Amino acid sequence: MTGWSVRVPASSANIGAGFDVLGLALTLHAEVGIGEPPAGGRTAEPTHPATIAFRQAGGDGDVWVRSPIPIGRGMGFSGAVRVGGAAAAAVQRLGAEALDDHVVLAEVCGVAAELEGHADNVAPSVYGGVVVCADDHVQPVPLGFDPAIVVWVPDGTTTSTDRSRSTLAAEVTRADAVFNLGRVATFVAACAAGDVDALRLATEDRLHQPTRLVEVPETARALEAALDAGAWAAWLSGSGPTMAAMCDPGDTARIAAALPDTGHTKHLAIDHGGVTHQP
């Protein structure tokens, strides 16, 4: 191989009640590659998360990155490029078929999750689809539907994941823990059954969204507007400030039109392929 790349989907993590547990892959993709950077790509500096993951996974030389994923907006940019770096190292070492091997994918996920600090916005980028993360175990969630995902990104606002996490309570009440457990279980069951009517309840949360949404009131308004416009579910994507809404593919334009004009929307879907090699 001379020049080539790996293609990695963005992600939306937490999905309401599934704090540090649930994530889904989005049809918005970063590329990490070896060789001459293409138009829009650039060689990643040594401190770039893609380079660090590439080195950690045994890669040699430089990598380039090309990505439309917004940085600091809760759409998994750092997780995606870390997956890309680790996957590129695997392909460099083992060949183009490496990413067809579930053992290799588990290694890629492990490297990226260790660097990221949690797996819920890494595992979707590795495996695609909707996943549940329990320590180092990743469980795909079967889907009885294939929804659209409308994301609303506020203009000029970013979020530091570390700072956002520091504002969350270190302990929660039993009532709040049970509340969220019930919602996460409902979300997984509703996905498998294709029960879209249960998704709004299934993405209610008491552990992180109430605290985080206070800091981004426009996102809170966008979330409510999406639900009022008929979205099946809406949640703070990652640590924010982006809002993601799940809906019928035929309703995307109507829901997007109802969102505040202080941000912009992306009409996406769930990526089912995860990280892939691109010749």
Side-chain angles (χ1 to χ4, degrees):
M1 293 184 292
T2 52
W4 50 270
S5 66
V6 296
R7 185 170 180 260
V8 191
S11 67
S12 181
N14 297 327
I15 314 184
F19 179 62
D20 279 359
V21 170
L22 291 174
L24 61 80
L26 296 167
T27 52
L28 184 68
H29 299 89
E31 296 170 86
V32 178
I34 288 179
E36 187 69 22
R42 62 179 179 85
T43 300
E45 61 271 16
T47 56
H48 194 285
T51 302
I52 293 171
F54 182 67
R55 298 273 188 272
Q56 182 89 355
D60 179 56
D62 293 327
V63 293
W64 54 261
V65 175
R66 179 168 64 177
S67 174
I69 304 172
I71 299 174
R73 302 298 184 91
M75 294 180 68
F77 168 80
S78 62
V81 297
R82 282 174 169 142
V83 168
V91 172
Q92 186 187 60
R93 290 186 294 107
L94 302 171
E97 306 303 316
L99 302 183
D100 296 329
D101 186 329
H102 72 278
V103 174
V104 173
L105 289 179
E107 292 171 352
V108 166
C109 192
V111 168
E114 180 182 358
L115 292 170
E116 189 73 6
H118 42 91
D120 57 320
N121 69 331
V122 166
S125 293
V126 175
Y127 297 103
V130 178
V131 298
V132 179
C133 301
D135 294 329
D136 60 354
H137 178 75
V138 178
Q139 184 68 43
V141 176
L143 296 176
F145 50 80
D146 197 12
I149 308 293
V150 175
V151 298
W152 178 86
V153 186
D155 295 331
T157 303
T158 60
T159 298
S160 163
T161 300
D162 289 342
R163 190 192 68 79
S164 178
R165 292 176 77 89
S166 72
T167 66
L168 302 179
E171 297 181 353
V172 299
T173 66
R174 180 184 300 173
D176 287 349
V178 170
F179 180 96
N180 271 49
L181 284 170
R183 267 62 182 177
V184 170
T186 300
F187 181 82
V188 173
C191 284
D195 182 2
V196 300
D197 293 334
L199 292 174
R200 180 168 182 167
L201 176 143
T203 46
E204 294 175 342
D205 166 69
R206 289 184 182 176
L207 298 189
H208 71 107
Q209 288 192 160
T211 299
R212 286 170 159 169
L213 287 171
V214 168
E215 301 294 323
V216 282
E218 279 296 291
T219 304
R221 283 191 278 275
L223 193 156
E224 288 302 320
L227 292 173
D228 289 345
W232 298 336
W235 61 89
L236 184 68
S237 185
S239 60
T242 292
M243 181 280 302
M246 182 180 287
C247 64
D248 186 289
D251 292 340
T252 56
R254 176 168 55 80
I255 290 168
L259 301 178
D261 60 8
T262 51
H264 62 278
T265 60
K266 298 181 186 294
H267 296 203
L268 306 173
I270 295 176
D271 174 281
H272 296 287
V275 61
T276 56
H277 171 256
Q278 305 294 305

